[in-house]
Amino acid sequence: MTCRKGMVIILFFLSAVCYYSLWRFLPSYDSHYHSPRPVYNPIITPHINLSSAAPGRKSEKYLSWKGSVIDSVMTPSGNNASHWSKVMASRRQRIKYVCSQHRDSLRRFLNHNRLLFDTRNHLAYCRNAKAGTTSWLSLLLTWAGMNVQDMDPEEIHAAAKEIFPSLGPKEAAAEMNFPAFTFTAVRHPFTRLVSAYKDKMAENYRKDVQESIISKYRVNNTILSKMHTTDQNKLKQISKLTEFSWENIVSMQKKYSFFRSLKNSDSTSKVYSDLSIPTFREFALYVSDQILTCGFLVNSACLEAVDVHWQPFFNRCAPCDIKYKAIVKVETFSEDQQHIQQLMGIPDPPQSPENCTINKHTSSGPSTDSLTKLYFSQMTPWERMRVYLAYYYDFQLFGYSPDDIVLL
């Protein structure tokens, strides 16, 4: 027995010595992870194979260009930069106020996998679908030293997944505490919904869902103006399920001219050449009812089931729980990307004269802005209100108004 106790003591002592040696002489995770690099000269060789891309692509895919990695976030110089900084401060202040007023509804616990980390430039980006994601990924890859010219959206997303792999909880927390420059991108909820309809529903989105939407929401030979009573009854039901009282709903309807002055149009057949897919009205009612059915639960599991392309911003990127340094918008994309690049001290990559633009995800046909007013004119005022209530918190958090559509 004495011999066995002696062996245990000796093993414990040797383990302690080994642990101390590793702790003392090997670099710590934090010092290794955060050690600044004096010169940024990326030569990126991801493991993905892009050889199946469109013909005529240049064989030289990756650029090697020098820049510096900043050690701390600095304030950009110049009047324009000062104005941009004030705009960002105003957006952050608005989010802080709205979150304080609706904390129980807006509180989220974000999964770190939703943040994309560029650990070399110390950028953390939360992606909101249909809010310029492809354009921002193109920029992040370009800033990391990659040539994205002639790459299609699918290749850009695949490359971003390879170049910016997901971090584990410990690594993500360490990067957030560096601090990383955190930002997310948003867009007017109505134009975003139209963009989602154009890119997803009109491109043979799940047929079972499309058939269900048409079965539930299609009305035949019905004039929209005669549906107001039904709409009001529906909204009264919604007011019982959410924090919106009927009085508040009526007040909002009177507040915004979008619900009154946008002229109704019954020319559905003139807009939709293929009635085998849902119309925008049918799609918008399906989405809004799907979101409103969740009842703005504190537990976001219900909203997690909503397709990411029209899931509310507040649920996906948790602005009430993450203190983003910048809230960028699709409407101010060029200005925002220029100031972030300047703020982070990232140099311009070399570009040949014939390839001087970032590849963006574009759709054929009329512009999203021009379609937004047209599509919403095919809905009654109370139907528009249902869509507005579904995205109410996104409107409030990011300073959008339904009347923005009237001005398009």
Side-chain angles (χ1 to χ4, degrees):
M1 182 66 69
T2 303
C3 181
R4 181 175 298 177
K5 288 183 178 180
M7 290 294 294
V8 171
I9 293 174
I10 292 173
L11 290 174
F12 179 80
F13 175 77
L14 291 175
S15 298
V17 171
C18 291
Y19 179 82
Y20 175 80
S21 299
L22 291 172
W23 176 82
R24 176 67 180 82
F25 297 106
L26 291 180
S28 66
Y29 167 79
D30 287 339
S31 64
H32 171 73
Y33 192 72
H34 290 309
S35 57
R37 300 167 176 81
V39 176
Y40 175 28
N41 184 20
I43 302 178
I44 302 173
T45 54
H47 299 295
I48 56 176
N49 182 10
L50 299 178
S51 59
S52 61
R57 181 180 313 242
K58 296 181 179 179
S59 60
E60 183 66 24
K61 285 193 172 299
Y62 304 106
L63 303 176
S64 176
W65 51 283
K66 294 184 178 181
S68 60
V69 173
I70 63 170
D71 296 322
S72 61
V73 175
M74 52 189 170
T75 302
S77 58
N79 293 333
N80 290 338
S82 177
H83 171 73
W84 186 83
S85 297
K86 291 179 180 178
V87 170
M88 291 301 110
S90 176
R91 291 177 185 176
R92 292 194 300 268
Q93 185 61 34
R94 181 184 186 91
I95 289 174
K96 182 179 179 180
Y97 173 76
V98 174
C99 291
S100 69
Q101 297 297 305
H102 305 280
R103 186 159 185 80
D104 289 342
S105 297
L106 296 177
R107 183 67 185 270
R108 294 292 183 272
F109 296 95
L110 184 72
N111 189 318
H112 65 273
N113 288 329
R114 292 187 177 176
L115 288 170
L116 184 151
F117 289 94
D118 176 357
T119 57
R120 187 180 293 272
N121 286 316
H122 297 291
L123 288 164
Y125 165 51
C126 186
R127 292 165 286 182
N128 278 312
K130 307 310 302 177
T133 303
T134 302
S135 296
W136 279 108
L137 291 179
S138 298
L139 278 171
L140 291 173
L141 289 169
T142 301
W143 292 344
M146 187 175 190
N147 186 349
V148 300
Q149 298 298 338
D150 300 321
M151 292 174 64
D152 60 37
E154 289 74 18
E155 291 174 319
I156 288 173
H157 283 257
K161 185 177 181 180
E162 180 73 18
I163 302 303
F164 309 120
S166 298
L167 299 182
K170 181 179 179 180
E171 294 88 347
E175 185 66 17
M176 292 289 284
N177 292 330
F178 182 75
F181 184 89
T182 53
F183 74 101
T184 188
V186 296
R187 183 181 193 174
H188 193 288
F190 288 165
T191 57
R192 180 197 181 211
L193 193 60
V194 170
S195 178
Y197 174 77
K198 287 174 56 183
D199 289 350
K200 301 302 175 185
M201 195 58 56
E203 294 294 335
N204 294 321
Y205 186 77
R206 291 172 48 188
K207 281 298 182 183
D208 58 329
V209 175
Q210 292 195 27
E211 292 173 358
S212 175
I213 293 174
I214 292 174
S215 174
K216 184 175 182 179
Y217 296 100
R218 179 151 296 178
V219 290
N220 296 318
N221 301 320
T222 302
I223 299 177
L224 293 177
S225 59
K226 294 182 180 180
M227 298 172 59
H228 286 200
T229 301
T230 303
D231 291 338
Q232 291 186 31
N233 292 336
K234 180 69 174 179
L235 283 170
K236 287 180 179 179
Q237 295 176 8
I238 292 173
S239 70
K240 296 178 181 179
L241 298 175
T242 68
E243 64 183 60
F244 303 107
S245 68
W246 173 245
E247 292 74 15
N248 286 339
I249 293 174
V250 173
S251 176
M252 286 186 283
Q253 195 270 344
K254 294 179 179 179
K255 178 180 179 181
Y256 298 109
S257 62
F258 168 77
F259 301 113
R260 305 186 311 276
S261 63
L262 193 61
K263 185 178 179 180
N264 287 108
S265 171
D266 298 329
S267 58
T268 301
S269 60
K270 297 180 181 180
V271 178
Y272 303 99
S273 58
D274 184 1
L275 293 181
S276 66
I277 65 173
T279 64
F280 175 77
R281 171 190 168 273
E282 295 158 358
F283 167 72
L285 293 179
Y286 160 75
V287 170
S288 59
D289 285 354
Q290 187 181 28
I291 294 173
L292 289 169
T293 299
C294 293
F296 300 101
L297 300 175
V298 175
N299 183 346
S300 63
C302 179
L303 286 174
E304 291 297 321
V306 176
D307 190 291
V308 68
H309 294 94
W310 47 84
Q311 187 178 128
F313 293 141
F314 78 85
N315 187 70
R316 179 161 178 82
C317 285
C320 292
D321 295 277
I322 293 182
K323 295 182 179 179
Y324 293 104
K325 291 183 173 64
I327 306 294
V328 300
K329 295 186 175 183
V330 169
E331 295 83 1
T332 56
F333 173 80
S334 296
E335 179 183 0
D336 292 337
Q337 66 94 2
Q338 290 173 7
H339 284 290
I340 289 179
Q341 184 174 351
Q342 179 185 1
L343 186 72
M344 301 303 295
I346 301 173
D348 290 324
Q351 292 177 329
S352 58
E354 66 275 12
N355 290 326
C356 58
T357 58
I358 287 293
N359 188 351
K360 298 181 182 180
H361 186 183
T362 58
S363 300
S364 59
S367 70
T368 300
D369 286 348
S370 65
L371 284 176
T372 300
K373 183 184 293 187
L374 175 62
Y375 281 161
F376 274 93
S377 71
Q378 296 162 359
M379 305 177 71
T380 69
W382 294 107
E383 287 175 338
R384 298 171 204 163
M385 177 61 73
R386 280 160 67 178
V387 182
Y388 173 67
L389 292 179
Y391 291 99
Y392 174 81
Y393 289 128
D394 283 352
F395 276 97
Q396 298 303 309
L397 284 164
F398 306 114
Y400 290 110
S401 167
D403 286 349
D404 297 335
I405 303 304
V406 180
L407 301 176
L408 288 177

